[in-house]
Amino acid sequence: MMITILSGGTGTPKLIQGIKEIYPQEEINVIVNTVENEYFSGGYIAADIDTVMYTFADMIDERYWYGIKGDTFHIREKLIELGTEELLTIGDQDRAIEIQKAILLEDHTLSEVVEFQKNHLNIKAKIIPMSDEDSDIKINTKEYGEIEFHEFLIKYGGEPEVLEVIYSDVNPSPELIETIEKSDKVIIGPSNPITSIRPITSIKGVEEALKGKEVIAVSPFVGNDAFSGPAGKFMTAFGYETSSKGVAELYKAFLNTLVIDNQDAQMKGDLEEIVPEVIVTNTFMNSIEDKINLAKVVLNME
């Protein structure tokens, strides 16, 4: 059975970590958000793509779900010493991969670059950028006006009030639509619904392709709280409730099954008025056992 996973950073890679323990990589496709990609300090940052790659390669730094475990930071430290502002904390090995991306992108598409790098890391799964085109995401805030996404998260710590989330309208990468159409199941991981998943599903042709598939999503909310990051602020800016109900409403055009946490069991009846099926289970992924158990739920392997 061929599966396709829609992914951003953090939440979905944790689920991938469980899936890859019980499912053959050769039958896994991951379509990854690219709106946060940008050139920075000589490299091409594709944080969500790299997090997925490092997860498959067992290299991910699980303290932050970003970067490579055991990495050093000599280049960053030297740049700061020389007076260069380094907004992002990038390790030396991670930076080498990003510099290579920038070099290869001079005469290759992003899809080709990712294929080259993931093969070098001996990853058997298919990793597909949502688009090969340059894309961008900006956050319109009450306090600072329109700012870059990484400024919002890092410089301002995700604190400003979000009025609007604006991201590029891009075309799908060459294999995106066909990959969904050939899949037996599509899994939407518990990444930020607005800044990680919606950029993928809003691409021309994606929603229609999803409507013909079995689609299961894991909610990134428990009650009104997101598992990580300011997802609630972004949901509010788009007019959705900051809860699993908001997630169900956002995905309802193509969603068959929503997985929610045990603590939200009382919502099951209301959610079933929005999506056909609701599964209640533990969605906290604090251990590899938790991740494998949740993977079994989404793969229907219990």
Side-chain angles (χ1 to χ4, degrees):
M1 181 175 75
M2 188 66 68
I3 65 169
T4 292
I5 304 167
L6 307 189
S7 181
T10 311
T12 304
K14 289 181 179 179
L15 179 59
I16 289 171
Q17 198 175 51
I19 290 174
K20 77 183 187 66
E21 292 298 312
I22 60 174
Y23 208 76
Q25 283 196 31
E26 294 85 352
E27 297 181 26
I28 301 173
N29 306 297
V30 186
I31 296 170
V32 190
N33 169 43
T34 62
V35 295
E36 299 171 30
N37 293 8
E38 63 175 317
Y39 285 92
F40 175 81
S41 192
Y44 182 77
I45 306 293
D48 290 355
I49 289 171
D50 287 346
T51 297
V52 169
M53 285 203 306
Y54 300 160
T55 299
F56 275 111
D58 295 322
M59 298 165 57
I60 189 70
D61 188 336
E62 294 186 42
R63 295 174 302 168
Y64 310 111
W65 283 91
Y66 179 88
I68 296 172
K69 62 184 176 183
D71 212 344
T72 55
F73 296 87
H74 302 306
I75 297 174
R76 183 175 193 271
E77 291 162 3
K78 191 63 178 180
L79 285 169
I80 292 172
E81 180 186 323
L82 292 168
T84 301
E85 182 181 9
E86 285 278 294
L87 180 64
L88 303 179
T89 302
I90 303 171
D92 299 326
Q93 295 179 68
D94 192 18
R95 193 182 296 266
I97 288 172
E98 291 160 357
I99 291 172
Q100 185 188 54
K101 277 193 183 69
I103 294 168
L104 292 174
L105 281 169
E106 293 177 6
D107 51 12
H108 294 82
T109 66
L110 181 58
S111 291
E112 291 169 342
V113 172
V114 172
E115 181 74 6
F116 176 85
Q117 290 191 325
K118 71 98 178 174
N119 288 341
H120 181 76
L121 294 172
N122 296 314
I123 296 168
K124 304 303 180 185
K126 186 74 175 177
I127 301 175
I128 303 167
M130 74 176 206
S131 180
D132 285 341
E133 298 177 358
D134 289 337
S135 52
D136 191 21
I137 180 169
K138 288 184 170 59
I139 311 300
N140 187 12
T141 67
K142 182 177 180 180
E143 296 88 343
Y144 305 104
E146 190 174 283
I147 58 177
E148 296 292 337
F149 185 71
H150 288 112
E151 279 189 296
F152 173 81
L153 286 181
I154 299 169
K155 185 175 181 178
Y156 298 111
E159 292 298 325
E161 181 179 341
V162 177
L163 303 177
E164 188 180 13
V165 181
I166 308 153
Y167 42 78
S168 307
D169 182 14
V170 294
N171 290 308
S173 57
E175 296 183 76
L176 190 151
I177 303 298
E178 183 181 9
T179 296
I180 293 173
E181 291 174 342
K182 289 184 175 180
S183 296
D184 297 292
K185 173 178 281 194
V186 177
I187 299 165
I188 301 177
S191 295
N192 190 308
I194 298 297
T195 61
S196 293
I197 303 302
R198 194 175 184 276
I200 302 173
T201 60
S202 63
I203 289 177
K204 184 178 180 181
V206 171
E207 187 170 304
E208 286 304 310
L210 290 172
K211 287 178 180 179
K213 298 285 109 179
E214 178 189 352
V215 181
I216 182 168
V218 179
S219 174
F221 286 92
V222 174
N224 298 116
D225 297 322
F227 278 111
S228 65
K233 290 187 176 185
F234 299 137
M235 292 285 282
T236 299
F238 270 77
Y240 291 99
E241 186 175 300
T242 59
S243 68
S244 293
K245 182 180 179 182
V247 175
E249 292 283 0
L250 180 62
Y251 298 158
K252 68 179 180 180
F254 49 78
L255 189 63
N256 303 107
T257 304
L258 181 64
V259 180
I260 63 173
D261 190 72
N262 291 322
Q263 295 181 47
D264 282 344
Q266 74 282 357
M267 299 176 63
K268 187 173 188 290
D270 291 340
L271 291 171
E272 286 174 336
E273 296 180 5
I274 304 171
V275 295
E277 182 182 14
V278 177
I279 297 174
V280 180
T281 189
N282 173 48
T283 59
F284 284 81
M285 292 183 282
N286 297 321
S287 67
I288 189 60
E289 289 77 19
D290 290 340
K291 295 164 189 172
I292 290 172
N293 288 336
L294 186 56
K296 289 178 178 177
V297 170
V298 300
L299 293 170
N300 196 25
M301 293 174 62
E302 293 182 292

